[in-house]
Amino acid sequence: MDLKSINDSLIAITGEIDGFMYTYILVILLVFAGVYFTIRTGFVQVRFIKDMFKNIVEKKADTSGKAISSFQAMMVSTASRVGTGNIAGVATAIATGGPGAIFWMWVMSILGSASAFVESTLAQTWKVKNPDGSYRGGPAYYIEQVLHMRWLGVVFAIALILCFAFGFNGLQAYNAASTLGHYFPDYTTNGLTVVAGVFLVVLFAISIFGDSSRLSTIASAIVPVMACVYILLALAVTVLNLGLLPAVFGVIFANAFDFQSIFGGFAGSCVMLGIKRGLFSNEAGMGSAPNAAAAASVSHPVKQGLIQSLSVYIDTLLLCTCSAMLVMVFYVQDPAAATALNGIPLVQMAVNSCFGEMGIGFVTFAIWCFAFSSIIGNYFYAESNFRFITQSKPALFVFRVACLAIVFFGACNSFDLAWNLADIFMGFMAIINLVVIVILGKWAFKLLDDYSAQRKAGKDPVFVAESIPGLPPTECWHVAADELEPSTQGPISEFTDDVVEAVTTPVD
């Protein structure tokens, strides 16, 4: 059996698993959890929008260790979220499921932001403190501490590692390498994918073997600049084609509510692709962002939960919409050309229609920056969960080498297999976390009540674990924030200083 036959067989097998998992399990769980949390929290994702923005600029509650601020924790999670999923993922959803997928991505982001609030609030509540004063946490940690099921925490940690270190990072490498197709049509056969893979592996190796403590800073430094420029590009395309917007939204809504077509092939419908690509992009309810949320030093867990909800909005309602407008303007202008393309090539041609070769060059550069920042952000999550399983340094070294190998393999991978593997690993991880946060959600609701009561009293909410009767034991939160060493430096300036230090410090 040749390599092509093996690849085709893997695509067929993974495609069947992927379709079954999302059609019969995940779509039900995601919608149920989103609606349930939205109702039980009284639409927290809408009621507390003002607090979301206010909490971003809050100073660290404790400077006695190496904990990061709310702002930097959000940037870490955004570094992972705002990757090629916002560009390639949106284009793939439109090309495969139809323009209506955009609408269902919007719907799921609003519902999912409530799930993001719950999982991140739980992660903050049951975070643990490292010897250097920094924090770590996430689903594996609240599963162990609250449910007393370490074995399930280990299963989740393994699922996350498979998803982020292997599935997502392989896909990010593939999407970066695929940008070369515009310049070299035979790039898959002339060895350029190998060159791209080696280049990514070298950059990645420098990051993880040089100093893993600055991973989050390096990743979060790249994203804001590229995201802002990408938004401006999308706005420019939209403004230059204002006359096409009625047609764009007409196509989106017509396709989103074409129920005969949807239920005729649900597994490949706009609803399913909108949910899948939306989950890949914003990660709401998946159990990944809580790993970053737990690292923040705040005075109340709910504050970080609200910030992570805002991060979902930034990811889907802002950045994914920008990508959607880029693609849909091209789709309306030239339907034949648009429907013949998929993934990164579709985005490149969409930008080319307005800005020519210069636009393609920018998209190519942006994809590489987003892919690299996401690879680092994804590894940040994976290593945190690897350390939950074992603290062995030799094992960590082997794990890092395996992560490098996956990035190289991903660059040489095929389109369908790359997406199928990412979807399957993401699905396993999301199923575990969604079930767990539905069970543990009552504690997030109680913390929200505590936060709301203090806000109504005109206080800056401060949490002490003993204030919630019956709350399962926590490692942190037994000292009021005013007894700690609050930061005197603003989070933005602190973040900037950290970025400068991380970039200028020589690699050992």
Side-chain angles (χ1 to χ4, degrees):
M1 183 178 289
D2 59 18
L3 288 177
K4 184 179 185 305
S5 298
I6 294 174
N7 188 69
D8 290 343
S9 297
L10 287 173
I11 290 173
I13 294 170
T14 55
E16 286 295 321
I17 297 172
D18 182 9
F20 177 84
M21 181 184 295
Y22 281 84
T23 303
Y24 299 106
I25 303 175
L26 255 179
V27 65
I28 297 171
L29 272 176
L30 284 167
V31 173
F32 172 78
V35 172
Y36 172 66
F37 290 137
T38 296
I39 294 172
R40 289 289 281 110
T41 60
F43 288 81
V44 65
Q45 69 269 52
V46 177
R47 288 194 298 131
F48 288 95
I49 288 180
K50 182 178 178 182
D51 284 49
M52 293 178 190
F53 287 97
K54 178 182 177 182
N55 291 336
I56 287 178
V57 295
E58 183 171 290
K59 297 176 181 179
K60 287 194 299 188
D62 182 14
T63 58
S64 61
K66 293 186 177 180
I68 60 177
S69 66
S70 290
F71 178 79
Q72 188 162 347
M74 188 187 78
M75 294 313 300
V76 172
S77 62
T78 304
S80 177
R81 281 192 178 116
V82 182
T84 57
N86 300 87
I87 304 175
V90 173
T92 301
I94 294 171
T96 309
I102 300 166
F103 173 80
W104 295 108
M105 287 179 71
W106 291 334
V107 171
M108 286 310 301
S109 73
I110 295 172
L111 292 176
S113 59
S115 300
F117 165 78
V118 171
E119 63 181 355
S120 294
T121 299
L122 292 173
Q124 260 291 322
T125 306
W126 283 283
K127 64 187 178 183
V128 299
K129 200 165 189 175
N130 294 317
D132 63 359
S134 62
Y135 298 101
R136 71 180 188 276
Y141 295 83
Y142 53 70
I143 288 172
E144 179 182 39
Q145 293 181 59
V146 186
L147 296 180
H148 306 294
M149 301 169 69
R150 177 171 171 78
W151 67 268
L152 184 58
V154 171
V155 170
F156 176 85
I158 292 171
L160 184 143
I161 290 168
L162 288 173
C163 179
F164 280 84
F166 301 152
F168 282 6
N169 273 359
L171 182 57
Q172 298 292 356
Y174 167 80
N175 283 325
S178 70
T179 61
L180 302 175
H182 172 73
Y183 305 99
F184 308 95
D186 61 340
Y187 82 104
T188 57
T189 57
N190 66 6
L192 276 178
T193 55
V194 174
V195 175
V198 170
F199 180 69
L200 282 172
V201 165
V202 170
L203 291 179
F204 188 28
I206 291 173
S207 298
I208 64 176
F209 284 108
D211 182 1
S212 61
S213 66
R214 56 179 177 171
L215 284 174
S216 60
T217 305
I218 295 173
S220 57
I222 298 173
V223 172
V225 176
M226 293 309 303
C228 288
V229 177
Y230 183 69
I231 290 170
L232 291 175
L233 177 70
L235 286 174
V237 171
T238 304
V239 171
L240 290 172
N241 295 277
L242 282 176
L244 295 177
L245 290 188
V248 166
F249 285 102
V251 171
I252 291 173
F253 288 111
N255 187 254
F257 296 100
D258 182 1
F259 293 114
Q260 182 175 353
S261 174
I262 291 170
F263 291 107
F266 189 68
S269 69
C270 63
V271 177
M272 187 57 65
L273 267 295
I275 291 172
K276 286 167 71 174
R277 296 287 75 81
L279 179 61
F280 173 74
S281 178
N282 62 49
E283 302 174 17
M286 218 172 97
S288 52
N291 292 270
S297 173
V298 291
S299 65
H300 200 293
V302 166
K303 292 184 176 181
Q304 198 60 36
L306 292 173
I307 289 173
Q308 295 308 124
S309 292
L310 178 62
S311 184
V312 173
Y313 287 154
I314 292 172
D315 176 272
T316 306
L317 297 184
L318 180 59
L319 285 164
C320 284
T321 299
C322 286
S323 293
M325 291 301 104
L326 282 175
V327 172
M328 286 306 300
V329 165
F330 179 54
Y331 189 99
V332 170
Q333 288 176 327
D334 193 348
T339 53
L341 298 169
N342 202 341
I344 297 299
L346 174 55
V347 180
Q348 288 177 316
M349 288 301 101
V351 176
N352 179 68
S353 67
C354 283
F355 297 104
E357 196 67 27
M358 181 180 68
I360 294 179
F362 169 76
V363 170
T364 301
F365 180 70
I367 287 290
W368 276 83
C369 287
F370 282 143
F372 179 62
S373 67
S374 289
I375 286 171
I376 296 177
N378 292 344
Y379 177 80
F380 177 85
Y381 291 159
E383 183 178 299
S384 175
N385 281 267
F386 187 86
R387 290 179 182 275
F388 174 82
I389 299 171
T390 176
Q391 296 288 330
S392 168
K393 290 186 177 180
L396 179 62
F397 177 83
V398 173
F399 170 66
R400 287 176 170 177
V401 172
C403 289
L404 295 175
I406 289 297
V407 167
F408 178 79
F409 171 75
C412 307
N413 206 350
S414 67
F415 178 84
D416 291 327
L417 184 57
W419 279 107
N420 285 352
L421 288 173
D423 281 339
I424 290 170
F425 292 145
M426 176 174 68
F428 279 126
M429 178 178 154
I431 288 169
I432 297 172
N433 185 61
L434 286 167
V435 172
V436 168
I437 63 175
V438 166
I439 295 172
L440 301 183
K442 63 180 181 181
W443 299 115
F445 307 150
K446 290 181 182 294
L447 266 75
L448 179 59
D449 290 341
D450 178 73
Y451 177 89
S452 299
Q454 293 189 54
R455 291 281 286 111
K456 287 179 182 178
K459 300 177 182 178
D460 179 17
V462 173
F463 178 64
V464 177
E466 287 72 17
S467 64
I468 305 292
L471 185 74
T474 65
E475 180 175 312
C476 305
W477 304 109
H478 300 290
V479 177
D482 57 7
E483 296 179 45
L484 301 174
E485 300 177 20
S487 175
T488 57
Q489 186 178 19
I492 307 298
S493 60
E494 179 183 47
F495 171 70
T496 305
D497 291 345
D498 287 346
V499 169
V500 172
E501 180 181 358
V503 173
T504 58
T505 301
V507 177
D508 294 333

